[in-house]
Amino acid sequence: MEEIQYIGEHLLPGQIGKACVMLSFAAAVLAAVAYYFATEKRETPEADGWLKIGRTAWTAHGIGMFGVVSVLFYIMINHYFEYRYVQSQVSADLPFQYIFSAFWGDQEGSFLLWLFWHVVLGFVLIFTAKKWEAPVMASLSLIQIVIVSMILGVYVGFGADALKFGSNPFDLLRDTMEAPIFAQADYVTLIKGRGLNPLLQNYWMTIHPPTLFLGFASTSIPFCYAMAGLWTREHQAWLKPVLPWALFSGAILGTGILMGAAWAYEALTFGGYWAWDPVENMSLVPWIILVAGIHTNLIARSAGYSIKATYLFYAFTFIMIVYSTFLTRSGVLGDTSVHAFTEMGLENQLVAFIGIFFLQTMWLYFSRMKGIPVKEKEEKAASKEFWMFIGSLVLLFSAVMITASTSLPVYNKIREVFDPLFEGRTIADAVDHFNKYQLWIGVFVALLSGTTQFLRWGGKNWDDKRRKKFMVRMGAAFIVSAALTGLLCLWINATAWQYIVLLFSGVFAIVTNADYAIFYARTNLKATASALSHVGFGVLLIGIMASGLNKRHISTNPFAQRDMGLSSEMLDKNVLLYKNFPMYMSGYRVTYTGDTLVGNDRRYDITYEKLDSVGRVTEEFAVRPTILYDNALTKVAAYNPSTKHYLHKDIFTHIATIAEREADMEVRKEFEDTLTHYRYDLPYDTPLSVIDTTRKKGPDGTPETYYLKHEIELIEITESPNRPDYEPEEGDRIIGAKLKITPQIADTVFYANPMLVLRGARVYTYPDQIDPINMRLRLHPDLIDLTFPPESALNYEAKTFGIGETQTIGNLRVTFQNVFSNPEHPSYVAQEGDLAVGGNIKVENLSNGVTEILQPLYIIREGRPFVVKDSDNRTGAHVLFESINPATESFALRVAEAPATQNIVPLEISTKSYRTDYIVLETIVFPGINLVWLGSIMMMVGLTVGVFQRKRGI
Amino acid sequence: MKKSHIIAIVMIVAAIGIFISSGSDMTTFSTFKEATATQKVVKVSGDLVKNKEMYYDEQENPNLFTFYLKDSEGQERKVILNNAKPQDFEKSENIVVTGKMQNDEFVATDMLMKCPSKYKDEEIYVKSKETASIMN
């Protein structure tokens, strides 16, 4: 094939970008080697040299990464659509604030985000890790090598058997796919960007991924420390410096997960913050293991037990992060998750990713196992370390359970390899399945957290007196918690005993930990962080129970329906709301008052009025759920909720669906094409009847046809625009009609304002719709000829007037009243520097007695005069200036009388233009949801406080 | 034996117990035939029958949506969903409904659709119609 010389491509940035990828890959390899030798040859004179090489290599790696990120931003901002990644993520109309979202919207960009954070954390380590720098950075460099390989885009081997390593964000579109358009040398000028998925055009997409990936990246540090501890056989020394990193990671990863939950709740419509989606699960699992690791780390520091467990927990935190990366990015989850990325064809590489770090862990662990100190003496039953370790095991248990269930698609895939007939299993009800088992994890963790706080390391001084004190304290906490749980049950509808147990556990965790904080925080500052986190966990549990169990739909009348014997699952969830037509539901009067389109966001205004028993409005608020159209504004892409927040509950509202003709422009066009209009000639002064047929179900259920008579009357003909959707242009001639419609059945009258615009030689029609009677009215273009007779049909006569002078021209008695400045006319748009005057000219038609004031204009623009005619079709007068003589104050006018017209307005009416001004609304109340957020935030703050305390070595 | 070992063993036993008991949570997909036989809540996976009536009239009842589904054995049944018609329903390739049979109709409480995502298409968007059609 002949090589095509493409024009208009920007190849240089891509070349620089690819070079930066190569540089950062090579530098990571060099850093890994250098840090490896710096570790192996520690305490020899050579070590220093290796360390310097390692640092330099890491700096080079960082520069390379910085280059990759900058170039990718550069080509995205400049819309270089010849690059595949740019073409798939950006479009010319993408608002700038979403460039970041577009950057990490797909595989390569999110790998880059992850790499970027590793670079940053690596520099922090270089400056702070001291003697741990070399072994820790060696592992971190290895991680970087593996992740950079994901964006290498290098083929090893030849032909069809070539192995692909990574997917490069700087690949050209024409190199990654085949299409006939690439036969054109100037294809760059023809293509456009696909644009960011509208679901991701959201500020959560700007803040959630960076936080989550910082969380991901931060789990690497405890992993690297664990590897370093094993490698250098310093099984005790690493436990101290790793702790702040682990706490930091727990806080950031937790915040990242929490943001995901908040995003789901605030912006998606599944009506909740956690759905046990595989991707959610697999970000939670590493966090749970990490928290278990933090606890064994504390045990190991204070009591000397659990060092092995700490190694394994920190190692598996990172390995589970990699496993979750595999699940989300390999396509193995298929359609079971909403989060899955586009497949990249790198499944094997992702499996290798897991394999490498699993093997690294296993090899180091088993080769060093014998040397890891183990305390021979067993923990005392009344010691803090024993119960904390049990708590960590419970957490591990939870992680194993979640992982096992979530990995079902992987299990299915493996079974299918051996048995092609194997039918894949799925979890029948994921939410139910996970809640059922994880509930007990919550119970154990909450109870353990409360009791263990009051035990001492090594079970010190555990005598009868202390045991008695402990028992009294726990007994008191038990009684207080039981009483509080009883009170809570008045609010929370705990339908099963298991829920009451969980509630009690949550309350118990709060009571005991608060007690602990009050009595011990003064003497032991570490208590604050721990107590805060554990109280937070208790609060979270209560929040989950309250918002989950008391969640109810109010977009319906549940009590009435329950009386009808419907099961709760079969209750209606949605109501239909017509515009400006209030609807009563569950104690509220709800009205949809209108909507506005901003960009591709359509916002609906919905007001809620809470009514008391006698129907008085006690409270009023508005919500604005939105509908997001796709980038071309042709189809709805997403429905976004709106929530009214209270301290004690949320009212969550979203639009379930809208009329199909509003949701899909293709459907609308099809419908409009099939709509039949009938012509009616409406006389100026006599109302006209329009017959409408409607079919309704008769008493026996068979459809019957009804006839309805609507009366239409002309109020006025106007030449001023009366439509908000009309944008004036100079030279437009406008004719609009104001019509009054009196329907036969409704007890109200409607007004319609159809309009025609004559712009150049084209006629634009602005129809009007009266939704309650499904009527669409438009003016027939014949009205133009009736209103604006062609100039050739007019017989002008020139006359000169003084101010106040009256002359008779044919049937018209014309009085020149006066002139005025700053005139206005529908077909005149004032410009800077215009000299414009208007005349008030009274015209009386002597044959029909109609009198009107006409206002023609005389304008001098850029030294040249031009005029704007005024006309009136009731008098039939057409008047324009010919010239003005300022010296004599005389005005030359040209006046013509239009030939007599029929005084009719030709209308086209369709009575089958069904209304689309309605929405289907779903409203859910989540009581106590703020406890979920409050509890989670307390846990994160507790972890963060821990970071600073451990950093200062308290 | 250490206490923590005993507890660990108890947990492992519990885990095995849970795995066995949770086997009932894991299902293969049912067919309409089986659903008729058991009269219990099951999951049926199938394809939308595109040439049969799909009914949703939000102005009549915003909580009633019916359509026909063909299960893996080729059996077609009417499915009644007590909720609004989901967005892009027509495009779905595969549908999983949870519910039970009632007089030859499948009353669904939950529905999951598998849609070919429109954002994953391998498409080049071309600027104007004159130059070229959209290519696959």
Coordinates of all heavy atoms in Angstrom, one line a residue, chain A residues 455-491:
Chain A
L455 N -9.0 -2.7 78.5 CA -8.0 -3.7 78.9 C -6.6 -3.1 78.7 O -6.4 -2.1 78.0 CB -8.1 -5.0 78.0 CG -9.5 -5.7 78.2 CD1 -9.6 -6.8 77.2 CD2 -9.6 -6.3 79.6
R456 N -5.6 -3.7 79.4 CA -4.3 -3.1 79.4 C -3.3 -4.1 78.7 O -3.5 -5.3 78.6 CB -3.8 -2.9 80.8 CG -4.7 -1.9 81.5 CD -4.3 -1.7 82.9 NE -3.1 -0.8 82.9 CZ -2.6 -0.3 84.0 NH1 -3.0 -0.7 85.2 NH2 -1.5 0.5 84.0
W457 N -2.3 -3.5 78.1 CA -1.3 -4.3 77.4 C -0.8 -5.4 78.3 O -0.4 -5.0 79.5 CB -0.2 -3.5 76.8 CG -0.5 -2.5 75.8 CD1 -0.5 -1.2 75.9 CD2 -1.0 -2.8 74.5 NE1 -0.9 -0.6 74.7 CE2 -1.2 -1.6 73.8 CE3 -1.2 -4.0 73.8 CZ2 -1.7 -1.5 72.5 CZ3 -1.7 -3.9 72.5 CH2 -1.9 -2.7 71.8
G458 N -0.7 -6.6 77.9 CA -0.1 -7.7 78.7 C -1.0 -8.0 79.9 O -0.6 -8.8 80.7
G459 N -2.2 -7.5 79.9 CA -3.1 -7.8 81.0 C -2.5 -7.4 82.4 O -2.6 -8.1 83.4
K460 N -1.8 -6.3 82.4 CA -1.1 -5.8 83.5 C -2.0 -5.6 84.7 O -3.1 -5.1 84.6 CB -0.4 -4.5 83.2 CG 1.0 -4.4 83.7 CD 1.8 -3.3 83.1 CE 1.6 -2.0 83.8 NZ 2.2 -0.9 83.1
N461 N -1.5 -6.1 85.9 CA -2.2 -5.9 87.2 C -3.6 -6.4 87.1 O -4.5 -5.7 87.7 CB -2.2 -4.5 87.6 CG -0.7 -3.9 87.7 OD1 0.2 -4.7 88.0 ND2 -0.6 -2.6 87.6
W462 N -3.9 -7.5 86.4 CA -5.3 -7.9 86.3 C -5.6 -8.8 87.6 O -5.3 -10.0 87.6 CB -5.4 -8.7 85.0 CG -6.9 -9.2 84.8 CD1 -7.4 -10.4 85.0 CD2 -7.9 -8.4 84.3 NE1 -8.7 -10.4 84.7 CE2 -9.1 -9.2 84.2 CE3 -8.0 -7.1 83.8 CZ2 -10.3 -8.7 83.8 CZ3 -9.2 -6.6 83.4 CH2 -10.4 -7.4 83.4
D463 N -6.0 -8.1 88.6 CA -6.4 -8.8 89.8 C -7.9 -8.7 90.0 O -8.6 -8.2 89.2 CB -5.6 -8.2 91.0 CG -5.7 -6.7 91.1 OD1 -6.7 -6.2 90.5 OD2 -4.9 -6.1 91.6
D464 N -8.3 -9.2 91.1 CA -9.8 -9.3 91.4 C -10.4 -7.9 91.4 O -11.5 -7.7 90.9 CB -10.1 -10.0 92.7 CG -9.9 -11.5 92.6 OD1 -9.9 -11.9 91.4 OD2 -9.8 -12.2 93.6
K465 N -9.6 -7.0 92.0 CA -10.2 -5.6 92.1 C -10.4 -5.0 90.7 O -11.4 -4.4 90.4 CB -9.1 -4.8 92.9 CG -9.7 -3.5 93.5 CD -8.7 -2.8 94.3 CE -8.7 -1.3 94.1 NZ -7.4 -0.7 94.2
R466 N -9.3 -5.2 89.9 CA -9.4 -4.6 88.6 C -10.5 -5.3 87.7 O -11.3 -4.6 87.0 CB -8.1 -4.8 87.9 CG -8.0 -4.0 86.6 CD -6.5 -3.9 86.1 NE -5.8 -2.8 86.7 CZ -5.9 -1.6 86.3 NH1 -6.6 -1.3 85.3 NH2 -5.3 -0.6 86.9
R467 N -10.6 -6.6 87.9 CA -11.6 -7.3 87.2 C -13.0 -6.9 87.5 O -13.9 -6.6 86.7 CB -11.5 -8.8 87.5 CG -12.6 -9.7 86.8 CD -12.4 -11.2 87.1 NE -11.2 -11.7 86.5 CZ -10.4 -12.5 87.2 NH1 -10.6 -12.8 88.4 NH2 -9.3 -13.0 86.6
K468 N -13.1 -6.6 88.9 CA -14.4 -6.2 89.3 C -14.8 -4.8 88.7 O -15.9 -4.5 88.2 CB -14.4 -6.1 90.9 CG -15.8 -6.2 91.5 CD -15.8 -6.2 93.0 CE -17.1 -5.7 93.5 NZ -16.9 -5.3 94.9
K469 N -13.8 -3.9 88.8 CA -14.0 -2.6 88.2 C -14.4 -2.6 86.7 O -15.3 -1.9 86.3 CB -12.7 -1.7 88.3 CG -12.7 -0.7 89.5 CD -11.4 -0.1 89.6 CE -11.3 1.3 88.9 NZ -9.9 1.9 89.1
F470 N -13.6 -3.5 86.0 CA -13.9 -3.7 84.6 C -15.3 -4.2 84.4 O -16.1 -3.6 83.5 CB -12.9 -4.7 84.0 CG -13.1 -5.0 82.6 CD1 -12.7 -4.1 81.6 CD2 -13.8 -6.2 82.2 CE1 -12.9 -4.4 80.2 CE2 -14.0 -6.5 80.9 CZ -13.5 -5.6 79.9
M471 N -15.7 -5.1 85.2 CA -17.0 -5.7 85.0 C -18.1 -4.7 85.3 O -19.1 -4.6 84.6 CB -17.2 -6.9 85.9 CG -16.4 -8.2 85.4 SD -16.9 -8.6 83.7 CE -15.8 -9.9 83.4
V472 N -17.9 -3.9 86.4 CA -18.9 -2.9 86.7 C -19.1 -1.9 85.6 O -20.2 -1.5 85.2 CB -18.5 -2.2 88.1 CG1 -19.3 -0.9 88.3 CG2 -18.6 -3.2 89.2
R473 N -17.9 -1.5 85.1 CA -17.9 -0.5 84.0 C -18.6 -1.0 82.8 O -19.5 -0.3 82.2 CB -16.5 -0.2 83.6 CG -16.4 1.1 82.8 CD -15.0 1.7 83.0 NE -15.1 3.1 82.7 CZ -14.3 4.0 83.3 NH1 -13.4 3.6 84.1 NH2 -14.5 5.3 83.0
M474 N -18.3 -2.2 82.4 CA -19.0 -2.8 81.3 C -20.5 -3.0 81.5 O -21.3 -2.8 80.6 CB -18.3 -4.2 80.9 CG -17.0 -4.1 80.3 SD -17.0 -3.1 78.8 CE -15.9 -1.7 79.3
G475 N -20.8 -3.5 82.7 CA -22.2 -3.7 83.1 C -23.0 -2.3 83.0 O -24.1 -2.3 82.4
A476 N -22.4 -1.3 83.5 CA -23.0 0.0 83.4 C -23.2 0.4 81.9 O -24.3 0.9 81.5 CB -22.2 1.1 84.1
A477 N -22.1 0.2 81.1 CA -22.2 0.6 79.7 C -23.3 -0.3 79.0 O -24.1 0.2 78.2 CB -20.9 0.3 79.0
F478 N -23.4 -1.5 79.5 CA -24.4 -2.4 78.9 C -25.8 -1.9 79.2 O -26.7 -1.8 78.3 CB -24.3 -3.8 79.5 CG -25.2 -4.9 78.8 CD1 -24.7 -5.6 77.7 CD2 -26.4 -5.1 79.3 CE1 -25.6 -6.5 77.2 CE2 -27.3 -6.0 78.7 CZ -26.8 -6.7 77.7
I479 N -26.1 -1.5 80.4 CA -27.4 -1.0 80.8 C -27.7 0.3 80.1 O -28.8 0.4 79.5 CB -27.5 -0.9 82.3 CG1 -27.4 -2.2 83.0 CG2 -28.8 -0.2 82.7 CD1 -27.1 -2.2 84.5
V480 N -26.8 1.2 80.1 CA -27.0 2.5 79.4 C -27.3 2.2 77.9 O -28.2 2.8 77.3 CB -25.8 3.4 79.6 CG1 -25.9 4.6 78.7 CG2 -25.6 3.8 81.0
S481 N -26.5 1.4 77.3 CA -26.6 1.1 75.8 C -28.0 0.4 75.6 O -28.7 0.8 74.6 CB -25.5 0.2 75.3 OG -24.3 0.7 75.6
A482 N -28.4 -0.5 76.4 CA -29.7 -1.2 76.2 C -30.8 -0.1 76.3 O -31.7 -0.2 75.5 CB -29.9 -2.2 77.3
A483 N -30.7 0.8 77.3 CA -31.8 1.8 77.4 C -31.8 2.7 76.2 O -32.9 2.9 75.6 CB -31.5 2.6 78.6
L484 N -30.6 3.1 75.7 CA -30.5 4.0 74.5 C -31.0 3.2 73.3 O -31.7 3.8 72.4 CB -29.1 4.5 74.3 CG -28.6 5.5 75.3 CD1 -27.2 5.8 75.1 CD2 -29.4 6.8 75.2
T485 N -30.7 1.9 73.2 CA -31.2 1.2 72.0 C -32.7 1.1 72.0 O -33.3 1.2 71.0 CB -30.6 -0.2 72.1 OG1 -29.2 -0.2 72.2 CG2 -30.9 -1.0 70.8
G486 N -33.3 1.0 73.3 CA -34.7 0.9 73.4 C -35.3 2.2 72.8 O -36.3 2.2 72.1
L487 N -34.7 3.4 73.2 CA -35.2 4.7 72.7 C -35.0 4.8 71.2 O -35.9 5.2 70.5 CB -34.4 5.8 73.4 CG -34.7 6.1 74.9 CD1 -33.8 7.2 75.4 CD2 -36.2 6.5 75.0
L488 N -33.9 4.3 70.7 CA -33.6 4.3 69.3 C -34.7 3.5 68.5 O -35.1 3.9 67.4 CB -32.2 3.8 68.9 CG -31.1 4.7 68.8 CD1 -29.8 4.0 68.5 CD2 -31.3 5.8 67.8
C489 N -35.1 2.4 69.1 CA -36.1 1.6 68.4 C -37.4 2.3 68.3 O -38.3 1.9 67.4 CB -36.2 0.3 69.1 SG -34.9 -0.8 68.8
L490 N -37.6 3.3 69.1 CA -38.9 4.1 68.9 C -38.8 4.8 67.5 O -39.8 5.1 66.9 CB -39.1 5.1 70.0 CG -39.2 4.5 71.4 CD1 -39.3 5.6 72.4 CD2 -40.5 3.6 71.5
W491 N -37.6 5.1 67.1 CA -37.4 5.9 65.9 C -37.1 5.0 64.7 O -37.7 5.1 63.7 CB -36.2 6.9 66.1 CG -35.8 7.6 64.9 CD1 -36.6 8.2 64.0 CD2 -34.4 7.8 64.4 NE1 -35.9 8.8 63.0 CE2 -34.5 8.5 63.2 CE3 -33.2 7.4 64.9 CZ2 -33.4 8.9 62.5 CZ3 -32.1 7.8 64.2 CH2 -32.2 8.5 63.0

